[in-house]
Amino acid sequence: MNEYRMPTCEEMVEFVTDYLEGRLPEADRLGFEAHLRLCVGCQHYLDQMRRTVTATGALAGETLDAISRDALLKVYRAWLEERDSP
């Protein structure tokens, strides 16, 4: 039997990319999936991330105009600053 620890919602956000890419170690994956069975909010978050990956995977860098690219970079940088601030 595999032992796992159920992650918090905050940890779920940190693990989601590795989960979607199949890179979570087995114990972390089991904890992730156990959390999903109990947490509707994280179920919705995972669904949003899957849809985002699907939508953005279809975009080619060349089709993004400079104004849109700069706007997306601005939003991303603001998110990084907010995430990293105490």
Side-chain angles (χ1 to χ4, degrees):
M1 179 172 167
N2 293 313
E3 295 292 322
Y4 65 87
R5 180 186 66 77
M6 188 156 337
T8 65
C9 292
E10 184 175 280
E11 290 170 321
M12 294 291 285
V13 171
E14 295 173 14
F15 292 159
V16 73
T17 300
D18 287 340
Y19 178 77
L20 290 173
E21 293 177 354
R23 295 185 305 178
L24 274 183
E26 183 178 11
D28 291 336
R29 181 185 55 77
L30 291 171
F32 188 96
E33 291 170 347
H35 181 109
L36 282 175
R37 287 190 291 275
L38 302 173
C39 183
V40 174
C42 286
Q43 292 170 16
H44 290 298
Y45 180 72
L46 179 61
D47 184 54
Q48 286 176 322
M49 292 305 294
R50 282 186 171 134
R51 285 191 268 155
T52 298
V53 168
T54 299
T56 58
L59 297 176
E62 310 82 52
T63 62
L64 194 60
D65 62 85
I67 293 171
S68 298
R69 184 196 70 232
D70 291 345
L72 286 171
L73 286 172
K74 182 178 178 181
V75 169
Y76 178 70
R77 288 181 183 128
W79 172 79
L80 282 177
E81 288 179 20
E82 182 179 317
R83 182 194 70 173
D84 294 338
S85 66

Coordinates of all heavy atoms in Angstrom, one line a residue:
M1 N 0.8 -1.2 0.0 CA 0.0 0.0 0.0 C 0.9 1.2 0.0 O 1.9 1.3 0.7 CB -0.9 0.0 1.2 CG -1.8 1.2 1.3 SD -2.9 1.0 2.7 CE -3.5 2.6 2.8
N2 N 0.5 2.2 -0.8 CA 1.3 3.4 -0.9 C 0.8 4.4 0.1 O -0.4 4.7 0.3 CB 1.2 4.1 -2.3 CG 1.8 3.2 -3.4 OD1 2.9 2.8 -3.2 ND2 1.1 2.9 -4.4
E3 N 1.8 5.1 0.8 CA 1.5 6.1 1.8 C 1.5 7.4 1.1 O 2.3 7.7 0.2 CB 2.5 6.1 2.9 CG 2.5 4.8 3.7 CD 1.2 4.7 4.6 OE1 0.7 5.7 5.1 OE2 0.7 3.5 4.6
Y4 N 0.6 8.3 1.4 CA 0.6 9.7 0.9 C 0.0 10.6 1.9 O -0.7 10.2 2.9 CB -0.2 9.8 -0.4 CG -1.7 9.5 -0.3 CD1 -2.6 10.5 0.1 CD2 -2.2 8.2 -0.5 CE1 -3.9 10.3 0.2 CE2 -3.5 8.0 -0.3 CZ -4.4 9.0 0.0 OH -5.7 8.8 0.1
R5 N 0.4 11.9 1.7 CA -0.1 13.0 2.6 C -1.0 13.8 1.7 O -0.7 14.1 0.6 CB 1.1 13.8 3.1 CG 0.7 14.9 4.0 CD 1.9 15.8 4.3 NE 2.4 16.5 3.2 CZ 1.9 17.6 2.6 NH1 0.8 18.1 3.0 NH2 2.5 18.1 1.6
M6 N -2.2 14.1 2.2 CA -3.1 15.0 1.4 C -2.6 16.4 1.4 O -2.4 17.0 2.5 CB -4.5 14.9 2.0 CG -5.5 15.6 1.0 SD -7.2 15.1 1.0 CE -7.3 13.5 1.7
P7 N -2.4 17.0 0.2 CA -1.9 18.4 0.2 C -3.0 19.4 0.5 O -4.2 19.1 0.4 CB -1.4 18.5 -1.3 CG -2.2 17.5 -2.0 CD -2.5 16.4 -1.1
T8 N -2.6 20.6 0.9 CA -3.5 21.7 1.1 C -3.9 22.2 -0.3 O -3.3 21.9 -1.3 CB -2.8 22.8 1.9 OG1 -1.7 23.4 1.1 CG2 -2.3 22.3 3.2
C9 N -4.9 23.1 -0.3 CA -5.3 23.7 -1.6 C -4.2 24.5 -2.2 O -4.0 24.5 -3.4 CB -6.5 24.6 -1.3 SG -8.0 23.7 -0.9
E10 N -3.4 25.2 -1.3 CA -2.3 26.0 -1.8 C -1.3 25.1 -2.5 O -0.7 25.4 -3.5 CB -1.6 26.8 -0.6 CG -0.5 27.7 -1.1 CD 0.0 28.5 0.1 OE1 -0.6 29.5 0.4 OE2 1.1 28.1 0.6
E11 N -1.0 24.0 -1.9 CA 0.0 23.0 -2.5 C -0.6 22.5 -3.8 O 0.2 22.2 -4.7 CB 0.3 21.9 -1.5 CG 1.1 22.3 -0.3 CD 1.2 21.3 0.7 OE1 0.2 20.6 1.0 OE2 2.3 21.2 1.3
M12 N -1.9 22.3 -3.9 CA -2.5 21.8 -5.1 C -2.2 22.7 -6.3 O -1.9 22.2 -7.4 CB -4.0 21.7 -4.9 CG -4.5 20.6 -3.9 SD -4.2 18.9 -4.5 CE -5.5 18.7 -5.7
V13 N -2.2 24.0 -6.0 CA -1.9 25.0 -7.1 C -0.5 24.8 -7.5 O -0.2 24.9 -8.7 CB -2.2 26.4 -6.6 CG1 -1.7 27.5 -7.5 CG2 -3.7 26.6 -6.3
E14 N 0.4 24.6 -6.6 CA 1.8 24.4 -6.9 C 2.1 23.1 -7.7 O 3.0 23.0 -8.5 CB 2.7 24.4 -5.6 CG 2.6 25.7 -4.9 CD 3.3 25.6 -3.5 OE1 4.1 24.7 -3.3 OE2 3.1 26.6 -2.7
F15 N 1.3 22.0 -7.4 CA 1.5 20.7 -8.0 C 0.8 20.6 -9.4 O 1.0 19.6 -10.1 CB 0.9 19.6 -7.1 CG 1.7 19.4 -5.8 CD1 1.1 18.8 -4.7 CD2 3.0 19.8 -5.7 CE1 1.8 18.6 -3.6 CE2 3.7 19.6 -4.5 CZ 3.1 19.0 -3.4
V16 N -0.2 21.4 -9.7 CA -1.0 21.2 -10.8 C -0.3 21.0 -12.2 O -0.6 20.1 -12.9 CB -2.2 22.3 -11.0 CG1 -1.6 23.6 -11.5 CG2 -3.3 21.7 -11.8
T17 N 0.7 21.8 -12.4 CA 1.5 21.6 -13.7 C 2.1 20.2 -13.8 O 2.0 19.5 -14.8 CB 2.5 22.7 -13.9 OG1 1.8 24.0 -13.8 CG2 3.3 22.6 -15.2
D18 N 2.8 19.9 -12.7 CA 3.5 18.5 -12.7 C 2.4 17.4 -12.8 O 2.7 16.4 -13.4 CB 4.3 18.4 -11.4 CG 5.6 19.2 -11.4 OD1 6.0 19.6 -12.5 OD2 6.1 19.4 -10.3
Y19 N 1.3 17.6 -12.2 CA 0.2 16.6 -12.3 C -0.3 16.5 -13.7 O -0.4 15.3 -14.2 CB -1.0 17.0 -11.4 CG -2.1 16.0 -11.5 CD1 -2.1 14.8 -10.8 CD2 -3.3 16.3 -12.2 CE1 -3.1 13.9 -10.9 CE2 -4.3 15.4 -12.3 CZ -4.2 14.2 -11.7 OH -5.3 13.3 -11.8
L20 N -0.5 17.6 -14.4 CA -1.0 17.5 -15.7 C 0.0 17.0 -16.7 O -0.3 16.4 -17.7 CB -1.5 18.9 -16.2 CG -2.7 19.5 -15.5 CD1 -3.0 20.9 -15.9 CD2 -3.9 18.6 -15.9
E21 N 1.3 17.2 -16.4 CA 2.4 16.7 -17.2 C 2.8 15.3 -16.8 O 3.7 14.7 -17.4 CB 3.5 17.6 -17.2 CG 3.2 19.0 -17.9 CD 4.3 20.0 -17.8 OE1 5.3 19.7 -17.2 OE2 4.1 21.1 -18.4
G22 N 2.1 14.7 -15.8 CA 2.5 13.3 -15.4 C 3.8 13.2 -14.7 O 4.5 12.2 -14.7
R23 N 4.3 14.3 -14.1 CA 5.6 14.3 -13.4 C 5.5 14.2 -11.9 O 6.6 14.3 -11.3 CB 6.3 15.6 -13.8 CG 6.7 15.6 -15.3 CD 7.5 16.8 -15.6 NE 6.8 18.0 -15.2 CZ 7.3 19.3 -15.3 NH1 8.5 19.4 -15.8 NH2 6.7 20.3 -14.8
L24 N 4.4 14.1 -11.3 CA 4.3 14.0 -9.9 C 4.7 12.6 -9.4 O 4.3 11.6 -10.0 CB 2.9 14.2 -9.4 CG 2.4 15.7 -9.1 CD1 1.0 15.7 -8.5 CD2 3.3 16.4 -8.2
P25 N 5.6 12.5 -8.4 CA 5.9 11.2 -7.8 C 4.6 10.5 -7.4 O 3.6 11.2 -7.1 CB 6.8 11.5 -6.6 CG 7.3 12.9 -6.9 CD 6.3 13.6 -7.7
E26 N 4.6 9.2 -7.4 CA 3.3 8.5 -7.1 C 2.6 8.9 -5.8 O 1.4 9.1 -5.8 CB 3.6 7.0 -7.1 CG 2.3 6.2 -6.9 CD 2.5 4.7 -6.9 OE1 3.7 4.2 -6.8 OE2 1.5 4.0 -6.9
A27 N 3.4 9.0 -4.7 CA 2.8 9.4 -3.4 C 2.1 10.8 -3.5 O 1.0 11.0 -3.0 CB 3.8 9.4 -2.3
D28 N 2.8 11.7 -4.2 CA 2.2 13.1 -4.4 C 0.9 13.0 -5.3 O -0.1 13.7 -5.0 CB 3.2 14.0 -5.0 CG 4.3 14.4 -4.0 OD1 4.1 14.2 -2.8 OD2 5.4 14.7 -4.5
R29 N 1.0 12.2 -6.3 CA -0.2 12.0 -7.2 C -1.4 11.5 -6.5 O -2.5 11.9 -6.6 CB 0.2 11.2 -8.4 CG -1.0 11.0 -9.4 CD -0.6 10.0 -10.5 NE -0.2 8.7 -10.1 CZ -1.0 7.7 -9.6 NH1 -2.3 7.9 -9.5 NH2 -0.5 6.6 -9.2
L30 N -1.1 10.4 -5.7 CA -2.2 9.8 -4.9 C -2.8 10.9 -3.9 O -4.0 10.9 -3.8 CB -1.7 8.6 -4.1 CG -1.3 7.4 -5.0 CD1 -0.6 6.4 -4.1 CD2 -2.5 6.9 -5.7
G31 N -2.0 11.6 -3.3 CA -2.5 12.7 -2.4 C -3.3 13.7 -3.1 O -4.3 14.2 -2.7
F32 N -2.8 14.1 -4.3 CA -3.4 15.1 -5.2 C -4.8 14.6 -5.6 O -5.8 15.3 -5.4 CB -2.5 15.3 -6.4 CG -3.0 16.4 -7.3 CD1 -2.4 17.7 -7.2 CD2 -3.9 16.2 -8.3 CE1 -2.8 18.7 -8.0 CE2 -4.3 17.3 -9.1 CZ -3.7 18.5 -9.0
E33 N -4.9 13.4 -6.0 CA -6.1 12.8 -6.5 C -7.1 12.6 -5.3 O -8.3 12.8 -5.5 CB -5.9 11.5 -7.2 CG -5.2 11.8 -8.6 CD -4.7 10.6 -9.3 OE1 -4.7 9.5 -8.7 OE2 -4.4 10.7 -10.5
A34 N -6.6 12.3 -4.1 CA -7.5 12.1 -2.9 C -8.1 13.5 -2.6 O -9.3 13.6 -2.3 CB -6.7 11.6 -1.8
H35 N -7.2 14.6 -2.6 CA -7.7 15.9 -2.4 C -8.8 16.3 -3.4 O -9.8 16.9 -3.0 CB -6.6 16.9 -2.4 CG -6.9 18.3 -2.1 ND1 -6.6 18.9 -0.9 CD2 -7.7 19.2 -2.8 CE1 -7.0 20.2 -0.9 NE2 -7.7 20.4 -2.1
L36 N -8.6 16.0 -4.6 CA -9.6 16.3 -5.7 C -10.9 15.7 -5.4 O -12.0 16.3 -5.7 CB -9.1 15.9 -7.0 CG -8.0 16.7 -7.7 CD1 -7.6 16.1 -9.0 CD2 -8.6 18.1 -8.0
R37 N -10.9 14.5 -4.9 CA -12.2 13.8 -4.6 C -13.0 14.5 -3.6 O -14.2 14.4 -3.5 CB -12.0 12.4 -4.2 CG -11.5 11.5 -5.3 CD -11.5 10.0 -5.0 NE -10.5 9.6 -4.0 CZ -9.2 9.3 -4.3 NH1 -8.8 9.4 -5.6 NH2 -8.4 9.0 -3.4
L38 N -12.4 15.3 -2.7 CA -13.0 16.0 -1.6 C -13.2 17.5 -1.8 O -14.0 18.1 -1.1 CB -12.2 15.8 -0.3 CG -12.0 14.3 0.1 CD1 -11.1 14.3 1.3 CD2 -13.3 13.7 0.4
C39 N -12.5 18.1 -2.7 CA -12.5 19.6 -2.8 C -13.0 20.1 -4.2 O -12.3 20.0 -5.2 CB -11.1 20.1 -2.6 SG -10.9 21.9 -2.6
V40 N -14.2 20.6 -4.2 CA -14.8 21.1 -5.4 C -14.0 22.3 -6.0 O -13.9 22.4 -7.2 CB -16.3 21.5 -5.1 CG1 -16.9 22.1 -6.4 CG2 -17.1 20.3 -4.7
G41 N -13.5 23.1 -5.1 CA -12.8 24.3 -5.6 C -11.5 23.8 -6.4 O -11.2 24.4 -7.4
C42 N -10.8 22.8 -5.9 CA -9.6 22.4 -6.6 C -10.0 21.6 -7.9 O -9.3 21.6 -8.9 CB -8.8 21.5 -5.7 SG -7.9 22.6 -4.5
Q43 N -11.2 20.9 -7.8 CA -11.7 20.3 -9.1 C -11.9 21.3 -10.1 O -11.5 21.1 -11.3 CB -13.0 19.6 -8.8 CG -12.9 18.4 -7.9 CD -14.2 17.8 -7.4 OE1 -15.3 18.2 -8.0 NE2 -14.2 17.0 -6.4
H44 N -12.5 22.5 -9.8 CA -12.7 23.6 -10.7 C -11.4 24.2 -11.2 O -11.3 24.4 -12.4 CB -13.6 24.7 -10.1 CG -15.0 24.3 -9.9 ND1 -15.9 23.9 -10.9 CD2 -15.8 24.2 -8.8 CE1 -17.1 23.6 -10.4 NE2 -17.0 23.7 -9.1
Y45 N -10.5 24.3 -10.3 CA -9.2 24.9 -10.7 C -8.5 24.0 -11.7 O -7.9 24.4 -12.7 CB -8.3 25.1 -9.4 CG -6.9 25.7 -9.8 CD1 -6.8 27.0 -10.2 CD2 -5.8 24.9 -9.7 CE1 -5.6 27.5 -10.5 CE2 -4.6 25.4 -10.0 CZ -4.5 26.7 -10.4 OH -3.2 27.2 -10.8
L46 N -8.5 22.7 -11.4 CA -7.8 21.7 -12.3 C -8.5 21.8 -13.7 O -7.8 21.8 -14.7 CB -7.9 20.3 -11.8 CG -7.3 19.2 -12.6 CD1 -5.8 19.5 -12.9 CD2 -7.5 17.8 -12.0
D47 N -9.8 21.9 -13.7 CA -10.6 22.0 -15.0 C -10.2 23.2 -15.7 O -10.0 23.2 -16.9 CB -12.1 21.9 -14.7 CG -12.9 21.9 -16.0 OD1 -12.6 21.1 -16.9 OD2 -13.8 22.8 -16.1
Q48 N -10.1 24.3 -15.0 CA -9.7 25.6 -15.6 C -8.3 25.5 -16.2 O -8.0 26.0 -17.3 CB -9.7 26.7 -14.6 CG -11.0 27.2 -14.2 CD -10.9 28.3 -13.1 OE1 -10.1 28.2 -12.2 NE2 -11.7 29.3 -13.2
M49 N -7.4 24.9 -15.5 CA -6.0 24.7 -16.0 C -6.0 23.8 -17.2 O -5.2 24.1 -18.2 CB -5.1 24.1 -14.9 CG -4.9 25.1 -13.7 SD -4.2 26.7 -14.3 CE -2.6 26.2 -14.9
R50 N -6.8 22.7 -17.2 CA -6.8 21.9 -18.4 C -7.3 22.7 -19.6 O -6.8 22.5 -20.7 CB -7.7 20.7 -18.1 CG -7.1 19.6 -17.3 CD -8.0 18.4 -17.2 NE -7.3 17.3 -16.6 CZ -7.7 16.5 -15.6 NH1 -9.0 16.7 -15.2 NH2 -7.0 15.6 -15.1
R51 N -8.4 23.5 -19.4 CA -8.9 24.3 -20.5 C -7.9 25.3 -21.0 O -7.8 25.6 -22.2 CB -10.2 24.9 -20.1 CG -11.4 23.9 -20.1 CD -12.7 24.5 -20.0 NE -13.0 24.5 -18.6 CZ -13.8 25.4 -18.0 NH1 -14.4 26.3 -18.7 NH2 -14.1 25.3 -16.7
T52 N -7.2 25.9 -20.1 CA -6.2 26.9 -20.4 C -5.1 26.2 -21.2 O -4.6 26.8 -22.3 CB -5.6 27.5 -19.1 OG1 -6.6 28.2 -18.4 CG2 -4.5 28.5 -19.5
V53 N -4.6 25.1 -20.8 CA -3.6 24.4 -21.6 C -4.1 24.0 -23.0 O -3.3 24.2 -24.0 CB -3.1 23.1 -20.8 CG1 -2.3 22.2 -21.7 CG2 -2.4 23.4 -19.6
T54 N -5.3 23.6 -23.1 CA -5.9 23.3 -24.4 C -6.0 24.5 -25.3 O -5.6 24.5 -26.4 CB -7.3 22.7 -24.2 OG1 -7.1 21.4 -23.5 CG2 -7.9 22.4 -25.6
A55 N -6.4 25.6 -24.7 CA -6.6 26.8 -25.5 C -5.3 27.4 -25.9 O -5.1 27.8 -27.0 CB -7.4 27.9 -24.7
T56 N -4.3 27.5 -25.0 CA -3.1 28.2 -25.3 C -2.2 27.3 -26.1 O -1.3 27.8 -26.8 CB -2.3 28.6 -24.0 OG1 -2.1 27.5 -23.2 CG2 -3.1 29.7 -23.3
G57 N -2.4 26.0 -26.0 CA -1.6 25.1 -26.8 C -1.9 25.2 -28.3 O -1.0 24.9 -29.1
A58 N -3.0 25.8 -28.6 CA -3.4 26.0 -30.0 C -2.8 27.3 -30.5 O -2.9 27.6 -31.7 CB -4.9 26.0 -30.2
L59 N -2.3 28.2 -29.7 CA -1.8 29.5 -30.1 C -0.4 29.4 -30.6 O 0.5 28.7 -30.0 CB -1.8 30.5 -29.0 CG -3.2 30.9 -28.4 CD1 -3.0 31.8 -27.3 CD2 -4.1 31.5 -29.5
A60 N -0.1 30.0 -31.7 CA 1.3 30.1 -32.2 C 1.8 31.5 -31.9 O 1.1 32.5 -32.0 CB 1.3 29.9 -33.7
G61 N 3.1 31.5 -31.4 CA 3.7 32.8 -31.0 C 3.6 33.9 -32.1 O 3.5 35.0 -31.8
E62 N 3.8 33.4 -33.3 CA 3.8 34.4 -34.4 C 2.4 35.1 -34.7 O 2.4 36.2 -35.2 CB 4.2 33.7 -35.8 CG 5.4 32.9 -35.7 CD 5.2 31.5 -35.2 OE1 4.3 30.8 -35.6 OE2 5.9 31.1 -34.2
T63 N 1.3 34.5 -34.2 CA 0.0 35.0 -34.4 C -0.4 36.1 -33.4 O -1.4 36.8 -33.5 CB -1.1 34.0 -34.4 OG1 -1.1 33.3 -33.2 CG2 -0.8 32.9 -35.5
L64 N 0.4 36.2 -32.3 CA 0.2 37.1 -31.3 C 0.8 38.5 -31.6 O 2.0 38.6 -31.8 CB 0.7 36.6 -30.0 CG 0.3 37.2 -28.7 CD1 -1.2 37.1 -28.5 CD2 1.0 36.6 -27.5
D65 N -0.1 39.5 -31.7 CA 0.5 40.8 -32.1 C 1.2 41.4 -30.9 O 1.1 41.0 -29.7 CB -0.6 41.8 -32.5 CG -1.7 42.0 -31.4 OD1 -1.4 42.9 -30.6 OD2 -2.7 41.3 -31.4
A66 N 2.1 42.4 -31.1 CA 2.9 43.0 -30.1 C 2.1 43.6 -28.9 O 2.5 43.4 -27.8 CB 3.8 44.1 -30.7
I67 N 1.0 44.2 -29.2 CA 0.2 44.8 -28.1 C -0.4 43.7 -27.2 O -0.3 43.8 -26.0 CB -0.9 45.7 -28.7 CG1 -0.3 46.9 -29.4 CG2 -1.9 46.1 -27.7 CD1 -1.3 47.7 -30.2
S68 N -0.9 42.7 -27.8 CA -1.4 41.6 -27.0 C -0.3 40.9 -26.2 O -0.5 40.5 -25.0 CB -2.1 40.5 -27.9 OG -3.2 41.1 -28.5
R69 N 0.8 40.6 -26.9 CA 1.9 40.0 -26.2 C 2.4 40.8 -25.0 O 2.5 40.3 -23.9 CB 3.1 39.8 -27.1 CG 4.3 39.1 -26.5 CD 5.6 39.2 -27.2 NE 6.0 40.6 -27.1 CZ 6.4 41.4 -28.1 NH1 6.3 41.0 -29.3 NH2 6.8 42.7 -27.9
D70 N 2.5 42.2 -25.2 CA 2.9 43.0 -24.1 C 1.9 43.1 -22.9 O 2.3 43.1 -21.8 CB 3.2 44.5 -24.6 CG 4.4 44.5 -25.5 OD1 5.2 43.6 -25.5 OD2 4.5 45.6 -26.2
A71 N 0.6 43.0 -23.3 CA -0.4 43.0 -22.3 C -0.4 41.7 -21.5 O -0.5 41.8 -20.2 CB -1.8 43.2 -22.9
L72 N -0.2 40.6 -22.1 CA -0.1 39.3 -21.4 C 1.1 39.3 -20.5 O 1.1 38.8 -19.4 CB 0.0 38.2 -22.4 CG -1.3 37.8 -23.1 CD1 -1.1 36.8 -24.2 CD2 -2.3 37.3 -22.1
L73 N 2.3 39.8 -21.0 CA 3.5 39.8 -20.2 C 3.3 40.7 -19.0 O 3.7 40.4 -17.9 CB 4.7 40.3 -21.0 CG 5.2 39.3 -22.0 CD1 6.3 40.0 -22.9 CD2 5.8 38.1 -21.3
K74 N 2.6 41.8 -19.1 CA 2.3 42.7 -18.0 C 1.5 42.0 -16.9 O 1.8 42.1 -15.7 CB 1.6 44.0 -18.5 CG 1.3 45.0 -17.4 CD 0.7 46.2 -18.0 CE 0.4 47.3 -16.9 NZ -0.3 48.4 -17.5
V75 N 0.5 41.3 -17.4 CA -0.4 40.6 -16.4 C 0.4 39.5 -15.7 O 0.3 39.3 -14.5 CB -1.6 40.0 -17.1 CG1 -2.4 39.0 -16.3 CG2 -2.5 41.1 -17.6
Y76 N 1.2 38.8 -16.5 CA 2.0 37.7 -15.9 C 3.0 38.3 -14.9 O 3.1 37.7 -13.8 CB 2.7 36.9 -17.0 CG 3.6 35.8 -16.5 CD1 3.0 34.7 -15.9 CD2 5.0 35.9 -16.5 CE1 3.8 33.7 -15.4 CE2 5.8 34.9 -16.1 CZ 5.2 33.8 -15.5 OH 6.0 32.8 -15.0
R77 N 3.7 39.3 -15.2 CA 4.7 39.9 -14.3 C 4.0 40.4 -13.0 O 4.5 40.3 -11.9 CB 5.4 41.0 -15.0 CG 6.4 40.5 -16.0 CD 7.2 41.6 -16.7 NE 8.1 41.0 -17.7 CZ 8.1 41.4 -19.0 NH1 7.4 42.4 -19.4 NH2 8.9 40.8 -19.8
A78 N 2.8 41.0 -13.2 CA 2.1 41.5 -12.0 C 1.7 40.3 -11.1 O 1.8 40.4 -9.9 CB 0.8 42.3 -12.4
W79 N 1.3 39.2 -11.7 CA 0.9 38.0 -11.0 C 2.1 37.5 -10.2 O 2.0 37.1 -9.0 CB 0.4 37.0 -11.9 CG 0.1 35.6 -11.2 CD1 -0.9 35.3 -10.4 CD2 1.0 34.5 -11.3 NE1 -0.7 34.0 -10.0 CE2 0.4 33.5 -10.5 CE3 2.2 34.3 -11.9 CZ2 1.0 32.3 -10.4 CZ3 2.8 33.0 -11.8 CH2 2.2 32.0 -11.0
L80 N 3.3 37.4 -10.9 CA 4.5 37.0 -10.2 C 4.9 37.8 -9.0 O 5.2 37.3 -8.0 CB 5.7 37.0 -11.2 CG 5.8 35.8 -12.2 CD1 6.9 36.0 -13.1 CD2 5.8 34.5 -11.5
E81 N 4.8 39.1 -9.2 CA 5.1 40.1 -8.1 C 4.1 39.8 -6.9 O 4.5 39.8 -5.8 CB 5.0 41.5 -8.6 CG 6.2 41.9 -9.4 CD 6.1 43.3 -9.9 OE1 5.4 44.1 -9.3 OE2 6.7 43.7 -10.9
E82 N 2.8 39.7 -7.2 CA 1.8 39.5 -6.2 C 2.1 38.1 -5.5 O 2.0 38.1 -4.2 CB 0.4 39.5 -6.8 CG -0.7 39.3 -5.7 CD -2.0 39.4 -6.4 OE1 -2.3 40.3 -7.2 OE2 -2.9 38.5 -6.0
R83 N 2.4 37.1 -6.2 CA 2.6 35.8 -5.7 C 3.8 35.8 -4.8 O 3.8 35.1 -3.7 CB 2.8 34.8 -6.8 CG 3.0 33.4 -6.3 CD 3.5 32.5 -7.4 NE 4.9 32.9 -7.7 CZ 5.7 32.2 -8.5 NH1 5.3 31.2 -9.1 NH2 7.0 32.6 -8.7
D84 N 4.9 36.5 -5.1 CA 6.1 36.5 -4.4 C 6.2 37.5 -3.3 O 7.1 37.5 -2.5 CB 7.3 36.7 -5.4 CG 7.4 35.5 -6.3 OD1 6.9 34.4 -6.0 OD2 8.1 35.7 -7.4
S85 N 5.2 38.4 -3.2 CA 5.2 39.4 -2.1 C 4.7 38.8 -0.8 O 3.9 37.9 -0.8 CB 4.4 40.6 -2.5 OG 3.0 40.3 -2.5
P86 N 5.3 39.2 0.3 CA 4.9 38.7 1.6 C 3.5 38.9 2.0 O 2.8 39.7 1.7 CB 5.8 39.3 2.6 CG 6.6 40.4 1.9 CD 6.3 40.3 0.5

